[in-house]
Amino acid sequence: MTLSLPSTDFGVDIPFVKHLGFVLTVFADGQSEVDFTPQPEHLNSYQVTHGGVVMTLLDVTMAMAARAAPGRTGVVTVEMKTSFMRPSQGPLTARGTLKHHTATLAFTEATVYDAHNQACAHATGTFKYIRRLPVGSKSVHGFNSALAQSDA
């Protein structure tokens, strides 16, 4: 997969990532980097980036590192462990690395840094390589909106 960087296009449509405003700046050779500028709605009651947003940033960054290996495309998260080291404030950059992969699994890590290059959070993750399956009304993976509306 070839992407023109920096990009808000992660090679697939991920509405939540678009909503958050993540920007992919590195995607090559098992390495990834994603920039994020938190908005007021991304903060917690202490006015720092909410931990769930930081975990999403780490997850996406690790997934992109796994996908940045030659010949790899789709991945799903199998496991993730996160450690928070300091509040994540201001513009953030996450850097991910593919540590090892097999035919079906990718082992990754990522760290979120603040504008002063201080590590704020770190994660390790395991991802399963998958082929992209079709989604939509004719797929077992699609959301049947007619059924959901009739249940409302």
Side-chain angles (χ1 to χ4, degrees):
M1 174 174 66
T2 304
L3 296 171
S4 177
L5 301 176
S7 178
T8 56
D9 176 8
F10 285 68
V12 293
D13 183 31
I14 312 170
F16 188 54
V17 170
K18 280 185 184 176
H19 171 73
L20 291 170
F22 291 176
V23 177
L24 181 66
T25 57
V26 173
F27 180 75
D29 303 320
Q31 302 294 312
S32 66
E33 185 175 283
V34 178
D35 289 341
F36 173 60
T37 302
Q39 301 303 308
E41 61 269 23
H42 303 132
L43 306 181
N44 64 19
S45 61
Y46 296 103
Q47 298 304 300
V48 299
T49 307
H50 190 282
V53 174
V54 173
M55 290 181 75
T56 300
L57 179 58
L58 289 162
D59 181 54
V60 169
T61 303
M62 291 188 295
M64 293 307 290
R67 292 176 59 204
R72 303 301 178 161
T73 56
V75 296
V76 293
T77 309
V78 173
E79 171 273 336
M80 179 174 167
K81 180 202 180 289
T82 305
S83 298
F84 296 94
M85 297 173 278
R86 68 172 31 90
S88 299
Q89 296 178 290
L92 303 172
T93 298
R95 295 185 190 103
T97 303
L98 173 64
K99 302 304 283 183
H100 177 75
H101 70 86
T102 67
T104 58
L105 295 174
F107 302 90
T108 64
E109 68 179 8
T111 303
V112 170
Y113 298 92
D114 65 16
H116 304 290
N117 207 33
Q118 295 180 310
C120 300
H122 180 81
T124 57
T126 306
F127 294 80
K128 181 170 179 53
Y129 287 115
I130 59 166
R131 287 190 326 240
R132 185 150 306 282
L133 299 173
V135 295
S137 62
K138 295 184 180 186
S139 167
V140 295
H141 300 287
F143 177 74
N144 187 335
S145 60
L147 179 61
Q149 289 174 358
S150 67
D151 290 342

